[in-house]
Amino acid sequence: MKLFEPLKIGDIELKNRVIMSPMITNLASPEGYPTEEHIAYFVRRSSAGLLITEYTYINNSDSRGSPNQLGLYDDTLIPKFARLTEAVHNFGSKIFVQLVHVGRKTKRSLIWGNEPIAPSNIPLIEPVKEMTEDDITRVIEDFVKAAKRAEMSGFDGIELHGAHGYLIAQFLSPATNKRKDKYSDGVKFLEEILNEVRREVSIPVGLRISSTEFDSDGLTPELVGKIVSRVKNKLDYVHLSAGRDGPLGGSSSFYYKKLSYLEEAKVVRGFVNDLPLMLAGSITTSEEAQEALNVVDAVVLGRQLLADPDWVEKVENNRPIRYCIRCNQSCRLLSTREVRCDVNPELGWEILPLQRGEGEVKVIGGGLAGLEAARILAIRGFQVELYERGDKLGGELNEYRDPFKRAEFLRILDYYEKELKGIGVKIRLQSTAKGLDMTPKESQPKFVEYKGLRILIDSNLYAYQDYIFEWIKYNEIYVTSNVFKGLDRNRSYFLMEKYKEIGVRFENPGKVDVILRDIRKDQPSIGKAIAKGYWTGRSFKGFY
């Protein structure tokens, strides 16, 4: 399988062609160095041939974009970063650092009270200052200094973040670069960074760039191909993602196609045949990875490695995989939270040891909480029986009416059924017992059938979002903006588009027959159910 073939990037060799995507975690310290939790997070995923850190800011004046972001802005940070690279190297993987200046994609409170800078005076979050040539020179020097620190820290390579609407992308994209000087050609800014960085470091240097910004005025696959072809002699690889600032981007929800940006990659490949090309974008299965490898040289897994850090070994050994369901929930709350995953409650807590146990346990309830509790108890060493009074496992998963959600989310159930069988959990359907009760104390509303009615939904409950796909077949359905409250921007955008396609209306309906009004800040979810099972299972000490 090509996936497990080695790959050369510059003068280093990767053990396989699986790349861990750079992803914001907020696991770093407020000062910008990797914490023990952060190191454990990377080590846990070191079966990938290459790990790329989250975007790492280059100065402590105006380059930071999130609260607990990695930063390589001072020499005093080098020993802490060296601890990270040493840990990853001990497991036979390579690790690159991704360097970034966020440009306009920040706010004063994140950049020590300073004013955000950008190629042009086009605000995004807060007012911005158009960069002078002195600003440009300073930023290039900051990239160089950070690159030198990266090499001193033991990183195997450097990735310049030129995607997702950050500063390099702001120069490259016609939509955000309206300058009248020589830097109106944004490639000149990139070239100057590359020239200066290559002069000072000996490790490989690559570029992440959006293959599309979903905007005819911005970056397109053809334009990206031309940009890359101009700088390819200064690069060791190119890493393709997607998006700029809007709801459309690299981390698409389950409403968007899989292998999300393969067609765009084919266009860029036509311009670049002599550089390793990496591709990110909703790759979750080995079949998708193999299909992508017909076009590119390596596949970049992001949320999938959050969901299952053992993906590489499981593919290699044909073991059940806990797939990312592309829900864009817990992994997207990064303005105020550390990274989490609805289907993998271990994420962010990798540093905690799992205590061995012994004895017999009866787990009551075959929903997600019970399934996860049974799994973790069996892994700890308990002999587990799982009791479900119904005739099938899955609980509320079986109630979904949204066809897009069902296609992704029911893979969780398939995973648990295979995994529990493999680790020896005994399943007792249509049975009851006394034991560790994992039945839900709160649940989403049950489906009610309506026909021939005008229905207004003013609620953000997940169940109602689902039921709309069924109700619209026999009723007039109207929704308010509250239906999308609390959803990730990408998921909200595409759900709205799907509703429009099936005839859901967004105007004031006037008189209606049914009003469903229930807006909650907190509601039952897949993530909460699985987390409950995980923490109950790992802390369990008694006998049932």
Side-chain angles (χ1 to χ4, degrees):
M1 186 182 286
K2 188 175 181 181
L3 192 65
F4 299 108
E5 294 176 3
L7 175 66
K8 290 278 285 188
I9 296 180
D11 59 357
I12 71 163
E13 184 173 273
L14 309 183
K15 63 186 178 183
N16 57 52
R17 293 173 182 245
V18 179
I19 316 297
M20 177 179 164
S21 179
M23 293 174 283
I24 306 172
T25 66
N26 284 337
L27 292 173
S29 72
E31 296 79 17
Y33 60 81
T35 60
E36 293 302 299
E37 291 85 356
H38 210 171
I39 292 171
Y41 158 87
F42 279 111
V43 166
R44 185 72 179 82
R45 290 158 177 82
S46 58
S47 56
L50 172 63
L51 312 180
I52 306 177
T53 71
E54 65 191 60
Y55 68 161
T56 301
Y57 61 96
I58 57 172
N59 65 40
N60 57 352
S61 56
D62 52 18
S63 64
R64 187 169 69 171
S66 53
N68 287 7
Q69 181 184 343
L70 287 175
L72 258 175
Y73 57 88
D74 193 272
D75 289 354
T76 59
L77 297 161
I78 292 172
K80 288 295 188 182
F81 279 92
R83 183 174 176 83
L84 167 62
T85 60
E86 178 187 357
V88 171
H89 290 153
N90 286 338
F91 286 82
S93 293
K94 305 298 183 185
I95 182 167
F96 287 8
V97 65
Q98 185 188 76
L99 298 181
V100 73
H101 191 299
V102 297
R104 68 177 189 158
K105 209 166 183 177
T106 189
K107 51 189 177 180
R108 283 179 177 269
S109 61
L110 288 170
I111 53 173
W112 305 275
N114 296 312
E115 188 175 20
I117 60 174
S120 303
N121 186 11
I122 305 175
L124 179 66
I125 302 170
E126 291 183 354
V128 300
K129 172 195 171 188
E130 182 169 311
M131 295 171 71
T132 64
E133 290 203 13
D134 285 344
D135 290 324
I136 290 172
T137 298
R138 171 179 63 84
V139 168
I140 292 171
E141 290 174 353
D142 289 336
F143 269 107
V144 173
K145 291 174 184 176
K148 291 169 68 176
R149 293 183 190 111
E151 185 165 26
M152 293 172 66
S153 299
F155 283 102
D156 301 292
I158 293 164
E159 177 168 285
L160 299 179
H161 200 341
H164 304 166
Y166 295 115
L167 186 65
I168 293 175
Q170 290 162 31
F171 272 92
L172 297 176
S173 175
T176 50
N177 185 348
K178 305 297 182 182
R179 297 181 71 92
K180 303 300 182 184
D181 60 6
K182 68 177 182 177
Y183 294 106
S184 62
D185 175 7
V187 180
K188 291 188 181 299
F189 178 63
L190 174 60
E191 284 179 320
E192 290 181 13
I193 295 173
L194 286 167
N195 286 337
E196 295 304 313
V197 167
R198 303 292 321 219
R199 186 175 289 119
E200 296 292 338
V201 303
S202 61
I203 54 180
V205 178
L207 173 69
R208 194 178 208 198
I209 189 168
S210 293
S211 60
T212 175
E213 290 185 330
F214 304 97
D215 175 3
S216 58
D217 294 327
L219 293 177
T220 63
E222 293 78 12
L223 180 54
V224 168
K226 293 174 183 177
I227 290 170
V228 171
S229 64
R230 286 178 59 184
V231 295
K232 63 182 180 180
N233 64 324
K234 307 176 195 302
L235 293 171
D236 291 295
Y237 72 92
V238 175
H239 175 181
L240 297 178
S241 185
R244 185 172 73 228
D245 308 312
L248 306 182
S251 297
S252 293
S253 72
F254 51 80
Y255 293 114
Y256 198 67
K257 63 184 178 181
K258 299 295 289 292
L259 277 174
S260 301
Y261 311 111
L262 187 61
E263 294 308 309
E264 291 83 352
K266 290 177 182 177
V267 175
V268 178
R269 175 96 277 178
F271 289 85
V272 187
N273 285 311
D274 47 358
L275 273 181
L277 194 61
M278 304 173 181
L279 177 65
S282 295
I283 299 170
T284 63
T285 70
S286 60
E287 292 80 11
E288 290 160 357
Q290 287 298 117
E291 184 178 348
L293 288 173
N294 291 328
V295 177
V296 299
D297 302 288
V299 291
V300 181
L301 274 62
R303 291 169 295 170
Q304 180 53 54
L305 288 181
L306 300 183
D308 197 332
D310 299 317
W311 187 91
V312 175
E313 296 103 321
K314 288 183 174 181
V315 169
E316 200 165 15
N317 297 295
N318 196 30
R319 290 167 50 205
I321 293 171
R322 180 168 47 200
Y323 287 111
C324 166
I325 57 175
R326 302 196 296 159
C327 64
N328 282 8
Q329 292 298 98
S330 299
C331 62
R332 310 303 293 172
L333 301 174
L334 296 167
S335 61
T336 59
R337 297 287 188 276
E338 293 178 346
V339 68
R340 295 291 184 266
C341 174
D342 274 30
V343 302
N344 178 18
E346 179 196 73
L347 177 59
W349 303 100
E350 290 89 350
I351 198 170
L352 297 180
L354 195 62
Q355 302 295 325
R356 291 290 298 171
E358 60 179 16
E360 298 179 355
V361 186
K362 293 179 180 178
V363 176
I364 313 305
L368 288 171
L371 292 167
E372 176 61 19
R375 184 190 75 87
I376 203 72
L377 285 164
I379 290 173
R380 289 180 60 197
F382 290 97
Q383 299 172 44
V384 182
E385 290 182 285
L386 176 63
Y387 287 79
E388 166 55 45
R389 65 182 178 183
D391 60 358
K392 57 185 174 182
L393 299 172
E396 292 186 7
L397 281 178
N398 297 302
E399 300 299 318
Y400 289 159
R401 307 301 174 102
D402 177 339
F404 304 95
K405 186 181 286 187
R406 282 184 64 87
E408 292 277 3
F409 285 30
L410 288 181
R411 297 199 300 169
I412 308 173
L413 181 56
D414 181 65
Y415 159 73
Y416 276 116
E417 289 176 336
K418 292 176 180 176
E419 178 72 2
L420 295 187
K421 180 180 180 180
I423 59 178
V425 174
K426 297 177 181 177
I427 307 296
R428 312 296 189 198
L429 295 177
Q430 296 181 301
S431 301
T432 59
K434 291 184 178 180
L436 184 61
D437 186 4
M438 299 305 299
T439 56
K441 302 300 182 284
E442 184 183 16
S443 59
Q444 292 281 336
K446 299 293 185 185
F447 179 77
V448 175
E449 187 170 335
Y450 298 112
K451 288 192 175 181
L453 302 178
R454 291 163 57 87
I455 303 172
L456 173 64
I457 300 167
D458 182 32
S459 171
N460 66 335
L461 290 182
Y462 301 132
Y464 292 149
Q465 293 169 6
D466 283 358
Y467 300 159
I468 285 170
F469 284 89
E470 186 67 24
W471 287 332
I472 192 63
K473 297 175 183 177
Y474 309 103
N475 305 277
E476 286 184 22
I477 303 296
Y478 299 82
V479 299
T480 71
S481 60
N482 283 325
V483 169
F484 311 96
K485 190 173 184 178
L487 293 181
D488 161 76
R489 290 191 305 161
N490 183 280
R491 180 168 162 184
S492 175
Y493 173 86
F494 279 114
L495 178 58
M496 190 175 297
E497 292 301 302
K498 296 302 180 187
Y499 282 167
K500 290 175 182 176
E501 289 173 13
I502 60 176
V504 174
R505 302 183 187 185
F506 294 81
E507 70 267 21
N508 188 327
K511 185 178 180 180
V512 295
D513 301 299
V514 177
I515 299 177
L516 299 173
R517 181 169 286 128
D518 189 346
I519 303 163
R520 301 189 198 178
K521 186 176 181 180
D522 193 35
Q523 60 174 304
S525 69
I526 281 178
K528 288 174 184 167
I530 294 177
K532 176 186 175 183
Y534 175 78
W535 290 104
T536 301
R538 71 170 293 141
S539 62
F540 179 75
K541 295 182 175 65
F543 293 87
Y544 280 107

